[in-house]
Amino acid sequence: MSRARQPPLVTGISPKEGAAWTKVTIRGENLGTGPADLIGLSICGHNCLLTAEWMSASKIVCRVGPAKDDKGEIIVTTKSGGLGTSTVSFKLIRPERIGILDQSAVWVDEMNYYDMRTDRNKGISPLSLRPSNPLGIEIDKGKIPQKDMELTFPGMSGDFTRENFSATWYLIENHAGSSFEQLKIAASNLKKQATKKNEGSLAYVKGGLSTFFEAQDALSAIHQRLESDGTEKVEGSMTQRLENILNRASDTADTLFQEVLGRKDKADSTRNALNVLQRFKFLFNLPLNIERNIQKGDYDVVINDYEKAKSLFGNTEVPVFKKVYAEVETRIGALRSLLLEKLLQTPSTLHDQKRYIRYLSDLHAPGDPAWQCIYAQHKWILQLMQNCRDEFISGQRGALDLEGDTRPSALGRLSHTASLKRGGSLRTPRPSTWRFETPQQVQFVEKLSDVVIGQLPNFWKLWISYVNGSLFSETGEKSGQVEKSKKNARQRQNDFKKMIEELTNRLVKLIRGALLPTTLPQGELSLYGGWENKTELTGAWLTQIIHTVRLGCHDALSALEIPNDLLQVIQDLLLELRVHCLMVTLLHTTEDVKRLAEKEDWVVDNEGITSLPSQFEQCVVQMLQSLKEPLEIKLGEINVRKLPATVNALTVPRVAQVFINCLDQLSTKRDEDMDTSHNISVDLTSPDRFSGIREGFSPTSEQRLLIILSNCQYLERHTFLNLADHFEKHGFTGTEKITRVSVDAVRELDRKLFDAYIERRADPIAGSLEPGIYAGYFDWRDCQTPTGVRNYLKEALVNIITVHAEVFTVSKDLVPRVLSKIVESVADEMCRLMQCVSSFSKNGALQARLELCALRDAVATYLNTDSNSSFKLALDALPQLHSGADKKLLEELLNKFKSNMQLQLTCFQPSSIQPVKR
């Protein structure tokens, strides 16, 4: 079983070479378990399964088919073993073909000639029976283009059946890779063929001598048989039947060669007739020559022959000449109709148009073919532009792109025509997915631009040639035709101007319908609109459209020296597109800035800011880059910045105000509106005091206020200044006003948020002082000798330290500003409480002075003028210490307080520690 599953292996074949249908014996291993197991057999790539006869697991007999390959492997396929392999190969010998007119002593298999006998009503040309390989060696086709061969061998041919045959051309074309030894063999084969032809019938007899002997023996045997039977002359006898068969064979042979011999006789008679008419062969051959040259496109030859015939036989009185010349006129009339049809056919190149006009002029065609061509081109371009719009609107454009543009639409024919010749595309090559990513309107405008710049330049050049008469040769005999052309052009100048105006107006209306439908009259929306369901374009796409219209349409047409008044409608369209692009870009940028609040992740960097300011700056920079093309001023264009519709949009910093409002909304967002999937991790006892705010947390409302305050400072100090530089680089004026208004707005938000934060943090600390002072029914007039600072003051300091830690975690730069305000509030509250006490005992005064001094010394770094004044007023409200013992006790208790709370009070000291980078 394991051996049966092994693939077949062919190890031998006998014979190893032979012609088609040669019977061969294949030997090998695992060639199948039976005839049903053999499912495939190929020799030299040809399937030989039909003739295969399975003998055993090691032997198969079959016939070799007419394979394409001259040499190949023997592959056996079985159900049990699958596809097999081969260690030997078979060489297929190609038999030499014998033509139907060649003598042969043996029967020739006519299988290979069926392709030449499919039409039995037509004769077989002897040229069709020429040998495909006259040299008798392997053909190695070269890769030299046909055009290069024609240029290298002008007037020659590589076909050896023609009179202008070039042997060098034939060798380069068919045996470029053949070695010198192979060429020597080819020369020997040619000599053999020549010798064989010279030997004639003698060689034929020698080559088929054995066949003659066999035929003689057969005839002798038949004769003896007939004599023995005695029925030679009996009706219906074997002799009679044999005679009938031979007669029919003779008739069939005559029929086979009758057509060839008949054509030969006909050619001889025609040659004799041509000899008789040799003197007037030009005229008699002219109708046929005209027809042939028309088919080949040699219209110049036809015109020259016609002019010659007209001068020689135009006024002849000979009837036969009149009859032939009338036929010539009929052919020339048909040629005029054909040339006019080709002239009006679209699309076509400017070169062809000029050529056909010149031909028609030389043939004295009625009317004005040049103007007819101009009118046809005008209608063609209008139809192309409208078809472009209709295909995009109906959704056919996507189908054309997906199917490879197989339908013969007008735009499809245009794209496959070499008539555009614009000297290269205006746009860079795009990726294969471009059509599925670009909005339909953008594709439409670019396609429409391609149509305009592909057709309108040739249309304009055709008119210029019509005006200056260069459509016709500047020769003396044609000067009258030139003057006639110039005269017609002067009369039709206004008509052509209207054509150009109609084309430019159609272009502008089609683009308006796709991008600015509100600028079209209501009655034209059905013809040029219909884009309501398409994607709304962003500023970037509008910028690309402006670039396409400006460079691809206006500039390309201006380069043709078309008058500016005819292109003014395109200038007006460009102005409206630029304004529209500017407004859309500002609107989309404003919307993008509004959505920045959703992207706030509250992760601060070493400077205490989040990614929001940089994202805002990036939005504005992208906006300015998008506005570069619309704001650019080309020759003859209006400065968009000076238009009333854009002055307010460009001078008032609306985008900055939107971002400031965005920050304000973030500061007022409630805690329950925030993402609570992550919690803040602030550990004041951790050695890493600066890793409190980590990535992916949800801050409290106070922390949000601090982060936004830090962002506001960064906006004022960096972002707005950077944006001012960008505005100046892009040619904007009045950037000082923009910066000033933006800074004022962000300062107002900063003040508002700072007051809100101080109110939230300072009021609880200041409010806890009075209950802490009078806890336990404390009385300033009746208290014991002070032993230290009481706990309420320590709690207040710890609360201030907590605020310090919260602020420092966000931004070190905010610490002095916030702590100064907190200390000011606490100092003001202590001053109020001390001034409200009616009287102090000696111990009470000492206790109050101790606590005031301890608080003042602890926060000395963050004291300002107001807080210093508050502490001074509070101390002035206390009785003065006159006893040295009291002063000493006060100093000792202060030192004790500072010593015990040294760790806590360290945060109030100036430090050069930088926040750890997160």
Side-chain angles (χ1 to χ4, degrees), residues 54-280:
W54 185 88
M55 308 300 292
S56 67
S58 60
K59 179 180 178 181
I60 296 175
V61 178
C62 71
R63 290 188 178 272
V64 180
K68 295 182 179 179
D69 300 331
D70 293 339
K71 188 175 183 180
E73 296 181 337
I74 301 93
I75 304 299
V76 178
T77 306
T78 62
K79 293 181 181 179
S80 59
L83 184 66
T85 57
S86 174
T87 60
V88 296
S89 61
F90 182 83
K91 183 178 180 181
L92 186 64
I93 299 175
R94 303 291 181 180
E96 182 180 356
R97 284 192 175 186
I98 299 176
I100 61 174
L101 298 181
D102 294 338
Q103 295 179 342
S104 175
V106 295
W107 180 256
V108 179
D109 186 3
E110 296 183 355
M111 180 185 303
N112 296 329
Y113 300 105
Y114 285 170
D115 58 333
M116 298 184 296
R117 300 179 61 84
T118 54
D119 192 350
R120 299 185 180 273
N121 293 327
K122 295 182 180 180
I124 304 174
S125 172
L127 296 180
S128 64
L129 302 177
R130 64 182 183 270
S132 59
N133 186 8
L135 298 184
I137 60 175
E138 184 179 357
I139 294 178
D140 183 8
K141 289 286 186 179
K143 299 182 179 179
I144 302 178
Q146 185 73 14
K147 293 183 178 179
D148 295 346
M149 298 294 292
E150 293 176 356
L151 293 175
T152 307
F153 302 97
M156 306 302 290
S157 172
D159 188 351
F160 55 82
T161 62
R162 295 189 177 183
E163 296 180 0
N164 58 346
F165 169 68
S166 172
T168 308
W169 183 334
Y170 179 82
L171 289 176
I172 294 176
E173 184 178 23
N174 296 281
H175 300 283
S178 300
S179 64
F180 183 69
E181 294 298 327
Q182 290 177 320
L183 293 178
K184 290 172 65 177
I185 296 174
S188 176
N189 292 338
L190 288 176
K191 291 180 180 179
K192 290 180 180 179
Q193 293 178 15
T195 304
K196 184 177 180 181
K197 289 183 179 180
N198 293 332
E199 290 177 353
S201 300
L202 180 61
Y204 158 71
V205 173
K206 289 181 179 179
L209 195 59
S210 60
T211 306
F212 281 109
F213 290 154
E214 292 176 359
Q216 176 66 28
D217 293 341
L219 290 174
S220 298
I222 293 173
H223 181 68
Q224 293 176 2
R225 178 72 179 272
L226 293 177
E227 285 183 346
S228 62
D229 290 346
T231 58
E232 296 91 340
K233 299 181 180 181
V234 179
E235 186 69 24
S237 64
M238 179 179 175
T239 305
Q240 190 69 36
R241 292 199 305 272
L242 181 60
E243 181 181 2
N244 294 336
I245 292 174
L246 292 175
N247 289 333
R248 286 199 302 272
S250 177
D251 294 340
T252 303
D254 292 340
T255 303
L256 288 175
F257 290 92
Q258 182 178 3
E259 186 176 357
V260 177
L261 298 176
R263 283 203 307 273
K264 182 177 181 301
D265 295 339
K266 186 177 180 180
D268 293 339
S269 62
T270 303
R271 190 178 300 108
N272 294 331
L274 289 176
N275 290 331
V276 174
L277 301 175
Q278 181 68 26
R279 182 178 178 184
F280 303 104

Side-chain angles (χ1 to χ4, degrees), residues 876-914:
D876 291 344
L878 302 178
Q880 298 296 322
L881 297 180
H882 301 289
S883 170
D886 293 340
K887 293 180 181 180
K888 183 177 180 181
L889 179 60
L890 176 62
E891 184 177 355
E892 291 176 354
L893 293 176
L894 279 174
N895 291 334
K896 178 182 177 183
F897 165 76
K898 294 177 182 179
S899 176
N900 291 339
M901 296 196 65
Q902 180 180 2
L903 179 62
Q904 288 80 0
L905 298 181
T906 303
C907 68
F908 294 128
Q909 304 301 322
S911 174
S912 60
I913 299 177
Q914 298 294 329

Side-chain angles (χ1 to χ4, degrees), residues 819-831 852 855-856 859-875:
L819 267 293
S820 297
K821 202 66 179 178
I822 296 291
V823 169
E824 180 183 337
S825 178
V826 172
D828 183 65
E829 180 65 15
M830 289 295 291
C831 178
L852 285 173
L855 178 60
R856 183 190 62 189
V859 297
T861 305
Y862 303 106
L863 293 177
N864 55 24
T865 304
D866 293 336
S867 55
N868 277 324
S869 177
S870 297
F871 277 117
K872 187 176 183 303
L873 291 175
L875 291 173

